[in-house]
Amino acid sequence: MAPMVARVASLGLMLLARRSFAVERAGVTPLQKVLQMLDGMVAKGKREKHEEEVEFAKFHEWCDNTREETAKSIKEAAAQIEQLTADIAKAEADAERLAGEISDLEAGIAQAESELKSATEVREKEKSDYTATHTDLSESVDAIERAIAVLKSRGADVPQSLLQLRDSPRIPAEAKAAIESFMAMSSGDSEMASPEANAYEFQSGGVVSMLEKLRHKFQDQRLAVEKEEMNAK
């Protein structure tokens, strides 16, 4: 390392000696040359300082701009975080509220389905009862109408028609008793003496009148159940 430094120093001295010689030949003293060099260095230093100041000013401006943009971004991000936090809280509250509403709706649906099932079962029973009652009343009316027709015509199947009425659960006890009495009277010979024939006619007329009343009664009852069925649909 030391020989290298010595060599550089020697070369520097040689260059300086040559420059001094050249300066002396040009008519410029070494002091003037030094002063010129110093002036050049000062000018260069000022120029470099100015350039550094310009670059520093640019850097400072960039830092200020970056700081402002960063602060603005941080502020905006904080606002967004606050808004998102509020949105999340609202969404969670809405979700909880909707979950409660869904639970209530499910309970309401379950109750409605249960009520519908019960109502359907009741309606089916009502329909079944209506069908049975309507059929029973219709059959009773038909049997009474057939019996009235047979009695009026004094047909041979009077006993059979009256037996059907007597065995019907809808025929009241007093009507059954009248039918039994009439059947007992008509169970004799088909050819009756005049007084007996008159008695037959008289009692058969009473039975027919009674059956007519029963027919109207059953028809009214049938109409009533039909109206009830229409209103229940």
Side-chain angles (χ1 to χ4, degrees):
M1 179 65 72
M4 180 65 69
V5 173
R7 184 178 179 183
V8 171
S10 176
L11 290 173
L13 289 175
M14 290 175 64
L15 289 173
L16 181 60
R18 288 181 180 181
R19 179 170 293 185
S20 298
F21 178 76
V23 167
E24 287 179 356
R25 292 183 61 183
V28 179
T29 64
L31 180 59
Q32 288 175 334
K33 184 60 179 178
V34 170
L35 290 176
Q36 288 177 356
M37 292 176 62
L38 290 175
D39 290 339
M41 293 176 63
V42 169
K44 182 180 179 181
K46 288 180 179 181
R47 185 176 62 254
E48 291 177 353
K49 180 181 179 183
H50 175 71
E51 292 175 354
E52 290 178 358
E53 289 176 349
V54 171
E55 293 298 326
F56 180 77
K58 291 180 180 179
F59 177 73
H60 190 272
E61 182 180 2
W62 178 83
C63 291
D64 291 341
N65 293 335
T66 302
R67 181 169 56 250
E68 291 177 359
E69 292 176 359
T70 303
K72 181 180 178 182
S73 299
I74 292 173
K75 185 177 180 180
E76 291 175 352
Q80 290 178 356
I81 292 172
E82 183 178 359
Q83 182 62 45
L84 289 174
T85 302
D87 293 341
I88 291 171
K90 183 178 182 302
E92 290 176 348
D94 291 342
E96 184 177 357
R97 175 178 57 80
L98 291 174
E101 292 179 357
I102 291 172
S103 178
D104 293 340
L105 288 174
E106 289 176 345
I109 291 171
Q111 182 178 358
E113 290 177 346
S114 176
E115 292 176 354
L116 177 61
K117 181 179 179 181
S118 299
T120 302
E121 292 175 352
V122 171
R123 179 70 190 111
E124 289 176 352
K125 185 178 184 305
E126 290 176 349
K127 177 66 175 178
S128 177
D129 293 344
Y130 161 77
T131 301
T133 302
H134 190 274
T135 301
D136 189 19
L137 288 170
S138 297
E139 290 176 351
S140 297
V141 169
D142 291 342
I144 290 173
E145 289 176 345
R146 287 195 302 271
I148 291 172
V150 170
L151 285 170
K152 287 182 177 180
S153 66
R154 298 187 67 177
D157 55 349
V158 169
Q160 181 179 357
S161 299
L162 293 179
L163 280 174
Q164 290 178 352
L165 288 177
R166 186 194 65 181
D167 296 337
S168 175
R170 286 194 173 275
I171 302 299
E174 60 271 18
K176 289 183 177 181
I179 292 171
E180 288 282 357
S181 176
F182 180 76
M183 289 177 64
M185 176 180 289
S186 62
S187 62
D189 295 334
S190 58
E191 295 182 359
M192 299 180 184
S194 181
E196 293 176 344
N198 292 334
Y200 178 89
E201 292 292 341
F202 174 78
Q203 192 164 358
S204 66
V207 172
V208 169
S209 178
M210 177 193 66
L211 293 178
E212 290 282 3
K213 292 179 181 178
L214 284 175
R215 183 184 67 175
H216 291 310
K217 176 183 177 181
F218 292 159
Q219 287 175 337
D220 291 341
Q221 290 178 351
R222 183 173 63 183
L223 181 61
V225 297
E226 287 174 350
K227 289 181 178 179
E228 290 178 359
E229 175 63 15
M230 290 295 296
N231 293 331
K233 288 183 179 179

